[in-house]
Amino acid sequence: MSQQWSSELLAFHDEVRRYNLGPLWDVIHEIITPKPDTRVEPYLWKWPVIRERVMRSGELITPERGGERRVIFLENPGLKAAGQQAAVTRTLYVGIQLLLPGEIAPSHRHSQSAVRFIIEGEGAYTAVEGEKIFMQRGDYILTPAWTWHDHGHEGDKPMIWMDGLDSPFIQLIDASFFEPHKEKRQPLSLPDNYSVRRYGNGALRPLGDRHHGYPSPLTVYPWQHTVAAMESLKSLPPDPHDGYAVEYINPANGQSADPRIGAVMQTLTPGMHTKAHRHLSSAVYHVVEGRGRSVVNGVQLDWEKGDFFTVPPWAWHEHANTGDGDAVLFSINDRPLMELLELERTEAYSEGDGHQAVREVFAPLT
Ligand code: GTQ
């Protein structure tokens, strides 16, 4: 970097820097790299490791004492080393939230977008802007930015779900606002499960309804709807890179259900091995069903039900189902942001048969 500079020039750099100024020629290739120079690592978290800590947190803290929510978050070690906390990629946060029977996670709102994917349990709800939405395994639920939300549990078993937020991105651009509600539970103004009853049909809506744009009028995407959409795709040729994949959209405008966090569900049928590609947008995956392996920039990640893993920005990735039944992967991504900023680009892996060589088999912490 600086070894080609004379001692006279090096002294000048020091002198310039004393005034909070800088010589561009010394840093230009660190600032403007030929391709993304990311600190985000391909990484995999095993479900039993997460679940055990989540359940233990249930013995040690309540949602209210835990500063609003009882959550164990995933932390990408590459970002942790770079001083960024609670981030899986530069834009995406993932946490695993536990709510026990009878508990309430108090109402608040924030400028971060939040999405939820339900992993375990029943009888809990999230209330969003006056509507109670009951959670069931496999459901995808939106909490659009700046909407009031609180969670409650009317069932009798622990309820566990995944939270996806754009909090690292919001922190990066200094755009965080947060407000607690004056009541622990916001007042309810709509029938339970109102949005899915009204808009859950996707292409059909009640006559005369003129809702359009943001936020999505549909706030919960039930598991059985997602399964039906993927089953229907199975009668057609799969996508070479993604298998049978569907994206959660806002039925009123056809865009990503949350405008900043994209979400995808994909099925890989037995024996399926997708071809590698890469895109700038980064993603965090959660294994809903089955077992398999993904190769991410030459690192083999072996996964099974419940595990989580990262695909960093601009990382080659391909997925293989190694089990007997379908493998089903849920993922969140920052593609809506990249597209909005006209930054998204995609490239297919063109070497050989479209598959990467494995240079390392990842050894997860157990
Ligand atoms: O449930 O509102 O994992 O505000 C992090 C921040 C969950 C929530 C998280 C939150 C929430």
Side-chain angles (χ1 to χ4, degrees), residues 238-239 242-244 267-274 319-322:
D239 180 278
D242 292 308
Y244 300 106
T267 293
L268 309 170
T269 47
M272 187 180 268
H273 183 177
T274 65
H319 311 294
N321 179 350
T322 58

Side-chain angles (χ1 to χ4, degrees), residues 69 71 93 97 108 110 116 149 151 163 165:
R69 301 292 184 260
V71 175
Y93 158 104
Q97 182 156 177
H108 68 205
H110 40 67
R116 310 185 200 283
H149 55 285
H151 318 305
D163 294 316
L165 277 79

Side-chain angles (χ1 to χ4, degrees), residues 67-73 93-97 105-110 112-116 126 135 143 147 149-151 161-165 167 178:
E68 314 276 326
R69 301 292 184 260
R70 183 202 287 118
V71 175
I72 301 285
F73 55 75
Y93 158 104
V94 166
I96 311 301
Q97 182 156 177
S107 200
H108 68 205
R109 62 179 177 178
H110 40 67
Q112 291 78 2
S113 280
V115 300
R116 310 185 200 283
T126 178
M135 304 172 167
T143 306
T147 54
H149 55 285
D150 44 87
H151 318 305
W161 66 85
M162 160 184 172
D163 294 316
L165 277 79
S167 50
F178 172 89

Side-chain angles (χ1 to χ4, degrees), residues 93-352:
Y93 158 104
V94 166
I96 311 301
Q97 182 156 177
L98 171 67
L99 198 64
L100 295 172
E103 287 182 339
I104 289 169
S107 200
H108 68 205
R109 62 179 177 178
H110 40 67
S111 51
Q112 291 78 2
S113 280
V115 300
R116 310 185 200 283
F117 181 75
I118 313 311
I119 297 176
E120 198 179 306
E122 58 187 344
Y125 64 83
T126 178
V128 180
E129 289 288 303
E131 175 194 352
K132 245 185 191 180
I133 304 164
F134 280 88
M135 304 172 167
Q136 304 206 41
R137 185 172 182 270
D139 291 353
Y140 177 66
I141 298 178
L142 304 179
T143 306
W146 209 240
T147 54
W148 293 113
H149 55 285
D150 44 87
H151 318 305
H153 197 344
E154 299 172 3
D156 55 15
K157 287 190 207 73
M159 189 90 203
I160 300 177
W161 66 85
M162 160 184 172
D163 294 316
L165 277 79
D166 57 356
S167 50
F169 171 68
I170 297 298
Q171 189 181 11
L172 175 76
I173 61 170
D174 289 335
S176 182
F177 292 90
F178 172 89
E179 196 181 338
H181 200 282
K182 58 184 190 309
E183 316 278 356
K184 208 156 113 170
R185 281 188 279 193
Q186 66 181 298
L188 299 171
S189 56
L190 294 166
D192 292 355
N193 297 320
Y194 174 79
S195 97
V196 69
R197 290 203 257 166
R198 210 169 156 77
Y199 301 97
N201 238 307
L204 300 169
R205 67 176 173 187
L207 179 64
D209 190 298
R210 287 291 169 266
H211 182 105
H212 63 275
Y214 175 81
S216 174
L218 184 61
T219 45
V220 54
Y221 297 70
W223 175 234
Q224 63 272 25
H225 293 192
T226 312
V227 169
M230 290 189 296
E231 280 302 316
S232 173
L233 284 184
K234 279 185 181 174
S235 63
L236 297 166
D239 180 278
H241 303 289
D242 292 308
Y244 300 106
V246 293
E247 193 182 347
Y248 295 86
I249 62 162
N250 172 341
N253 65 11
Q255 306 289 305
S256 171
D258 180 88
R260 302 197 291 254
I261 305 173
V264 170
M265 187 72 77
Q266 67 196 104
T267 293
L268 309 170
T269 47
M272 187 180 268
H273 183 177
T274 65
K275 293 193 170 187
H277 72 162
R278 63 180 173 184
H279 32 70
L280 181 61
S281 52
S282 57
V284 189
Y285 285 74
H286 168 63
V287 184
V288 181
E289 291 290 349
R291 62 174 60 242
R293 77 169 84 91
S294 299
V295 182
V296 183
N297 272 351
V299 179
Q300 178 177 314
L301 305 172
D302 292 295
W303 41 257
E304 57 197 333
K305 185 172 173 167
D307 296 349
F308 287 80
F309 62 93
T310 331
V311 173
W314 206 233
W316 296 116
H317 57 284
E318 61 195 88
H319 311 294
N321 179 350
T322 58
D324 301 329
D326 281 354
V328 182
L329 299 174
F330 172 75
S331 57
I332 60 168
N333 62 67
D334 60 4
R335 202 173 68 203
L337 282 180
M338 296 307 168
E339 287 181 345
L340 180 68
L341 301 172
E342 301 291 354
L343 284 166
E344 182 65 324
R345 53 169 89 189
T346 305
E347 190 181 348
Y349 191 76
S350 57
E351 282 172 46

